[in-house]
Amino acid sequence: MFEIGGKKIPSTLAEMVDSQRAALLIWDMEYAIGPNAFNYKEMLPKLQELSALARRVGVPVFYSVQTGFDVVKEEAGVWVRIRMKRAKATDPNQLLQEKENPHDREIIAELKPQPQDVVFQKRRPDAFVGTDFDLVLRSKGIKTLLISGVATEGGVEGTARSARNLGYDVVILKDCVGSRNRELHDMALKLMEQTFFDVATAGDIAAIWGKK
């Protein structure tokens, strides 16, 4: 540990992800999002193993689930435009024709949350906007957030930047994040690495937690 002004600051990955201070976030791995990642099949077994290990060593596991605003009653104009672009719509009223399947918002069976896990709803590509995520992390004494899931250039990066701005240590699990767009995934990972985020593999973390 580094020390300055009475504060202890992790100086190694092992200190940063110690099970007494870390939490694992699995971002948007529901049926409508996770399986669309280009690297989904490679991510899935690593996430299964790492989340199981996290529970064994006492690391809290969090899941986010996307919940949209009602486009007429609640949604902000900027997000109506974004939803139109995603749907390739030319008129916002076309969005009213979209029908959601509740199954799409269920977390994939292979990563089914366990009773001790925390599942929270969010409406933006950032775990801290409009949620109690920060409050729950602080209540649990969490200092480090390990981030996995889909999409790298969306909620993964958005959450990572907010977390760091709020004072958390952040570790991006580079082989456990993905996107439907490989180019955007690669760009986001490169940008996070070059702006001094800590990046590790599931294997790196498993090697540390496995010693507990």
Side-chain angles (χ1 to χ4, degrees), residues 41-102:
K41 291 182 179 179
E42 290 73 34
M43 290 171 53
L44 184 56
K46 294 172 184 175
L47 269 176
Q48 287 176 302
E49 292 174 10
L50 191 63
S51 59
L53 178 57
R55 296 180 189 103
R56 288 201 296 274
V57 299
V59 171
V61 178
F62 291 81
Y63 290 81
S64 73
V65 175
Q66 174 63 23
T67 304
F69 278 120
D70 182 291
V71 72
V72 174
K73 299 177 182 178
E74 303 167 318
E75 191 59 278
V78 61
W79 283 96
V80 172
R81 290 197 302 274
I82 290 170
R83 287 169 68 169
M84 287 174 64
K85 289 177 181 179
R86 287 174 175 164
K88 295 181 171 58
T90 56
D91 184 316
N93 289 288
Q94 292 174 262
L95 299 176
L96 302 178
Q97 300 170 18
E98 295 179 342
K99 302 295 182 184
E100 281 209 2
N101 181 346

Side-chain angles (χ1 to χ4, degrees), residues 30-33 65-68 100-107:
E30 59 253 46
Y31 284 103
I33 299 174
V65 175
Q66 174 63 23
T67 304
E100 281 209 2
N101 181 346
H103 176 70
D104 289 344
R105 297 305 172 197
E106 293 177 10
I107 294 165

